[in-house]
Structures are given as structure tokens and as C-alpha cells.
Amino acid sequence: MPQPVELMRYRCYEIFSQSTGVEIRTAIKSIESHGVVSERSGRILLRFFKLAPKTKPEEVTQIRFICEPDEAFGLSLMIQQVANSTAPCKEKLSPHKFASGEHGEETVTTVSVEKWERSGKGGYALTVGRGKDFISVPVPLAKFQFAGEFLRTLSTEQSWVERVEKKHVLSQTL
């Protein structure tokens, strides 16, 4: 007899274009000390992905960008600003940098939102870039604005921390 599947609920919004997409959802950052989790805190995950399968082994098909709550809030404000603009424009979050690989090469990841116009057509896009790899997700205005509102909501909901409670012993002096 098959085991029942346990469904897990989490806050998530997905946007799909013809060839790419972005998933916006809650995430958790854990800090370990001596193999034991000593702290967890709320984050917001942006996972950009391509809908087509890999054509080369080294091809990147998804890029993750994890925001702190205030970064997600800032991104929501940028989306609102770009959506209200009468001219094409682009706004970027501060880049995330981390060392990777054997030689500690620095990897830089950026997220941007834009209103674009080309050849008489226009629209909105959420884009991530890491090194030479980019994934851009064109979106209609309503989904663009909804993504901004969703990020705003998650930014406050994910402003939390769980820490090990430390008991302090007070010494009494007589």
C-alpha cells in the first residue's frame, strides 16, 4: 500500500514566460556551531530558471538569489518605481559577492528590474546575472506589480530569528 504523501505549504509565487521563469518564496538561513544549528532567520528566495533542458553540460539552467528581508522590501520598491515610470528604466539591487572554487574566485550575482522598449514594443522584466550567465523573465505589468507586492509582504513576514535561549546566572552579592 503506498505511503501517504505529506504536502508542505509555503508562500510562493511563480511567473512563467515562454522560455524562462522566476519563483519567489520564503527561505530560511541556518547558522551552525559545532554541527548544531544555533540560529535560523527568515529570507526570501528568488529562483530564476530556464524552461528548456540543458544543451551543453556546463550550461546554467537556474540561478538562485537569496534576499534578506530589507533587500526584498527594497526590490519591491524598485518594482513599484519602474512600473510607474513613463520612460524605459532599470533598477538593480546591490550585488551579492562570494568566494567559490579552489582558488577563491569571486562570484558576483545581480538582480535587476526594468521597463524596456525595443522596435515599438515594450514590457517589464526581472533579470538575474551571475558572471557571464543571465536569465531574464519578461512579464506583463500586472504580474510585475504583483511580484512587487508579494515581495513587500514576504519582507515583513520573513523578518524573524530563532536563537538558542541562553540562561544567565545572576550572582548575588550579600
Side-chain angles (χ1 to χ4, degrees):
M1 181 173 203
Q3 295 291 326
V5 176
E6 187 175 329
L7 299 177
M8 186 164 171
R9 175 188 267 189
Y10 56 92
R11 310 267 305 193
C12 178
Y13 178 56
E14 296 174 324
I15 304 172
F16 297 95
S17 71
Q18 287 184 336
S19 61
T20 58
V22 61
E23 172 189 32
I24 303 168
R25 70 178 180 96
T26 59
I28 296 172
K29 177 183 176 184
S30 295
I31 296 174
E32 289 188 17
S33 177
H34 306 293
V36 176
V37 174
S38 60
E39 181 176 303
R40 287 194 296 230
S41 54
R43 296 291 187 266
I44 295 89
L45 170 68
L46 303 169
R47 185 179 66 87
F48 292 81
F49 53 90
K50 295 179 181 177
L51 295 170
K54 282 186 179 189
T55 56
K56 301 175 206 156
E58 70 280 355
E59 183 179 9
V60 171
T61 58
Q62 68 176 343
I63 300 174
R64 295 166 32 117
F65 189 92
I66 299 177
C67 298
E68 292 192 17
D70 62 324
E71 283 182 301
F73 184 78
L75 186 57
S76 77
L77 294 177
M78 288 178 196
I79 289 172
Q80 181 182 15
Q81 180 182 350
V82 168
N84 292 334
S85 176
T86 57
C89 60
K90 185 175 192 173
E91 294 290 333
K92 287 184 179 183
L93 276 179
S94 295
H96 284 195
K97 300 176 184 181
F98 61 92
S100 63
E102 293 177 9
H103 305 290
E105 298 96 15
E106 187 174 71
T107 301
V108 178
T109 308
T110 58
V111 168
S112 62
V113 294
E114 69 178 309
K115 178 177 183 175
W116 56 270
E117 272 185 29
R118 286 185 275 289
S119 306
K121 293 184 179 184
Y124 301 87
L126 296 135
T127 304
V128 69
R130 178 174 290 152
K132 64 184 182 339
D133 298 308
F134 288 88
I135 300 175
S136 185
V137 183
V139 296
L141 178 59
K143 289 183 183 231
F144 189 67
Q145 289 176 310
F146 186 84
E149 287 299 313
F150 190 67
L151 283 163
R152 179 186 306 258
T153 299
L154 289 183
S155 70
T156 55
E157 287 180 2
Q158 289 300 98
S159 292
W160 57 266
V161 65
E162 296 174 340
R163 290 188 180 114
V164 174
E165 187 177 335
K166 294 181 181 177
K167 307 236 186 232
H168 296 289
V169 178
L170 299 175
S171 60
Q172 286 185 316
T173 56
L174 297 173

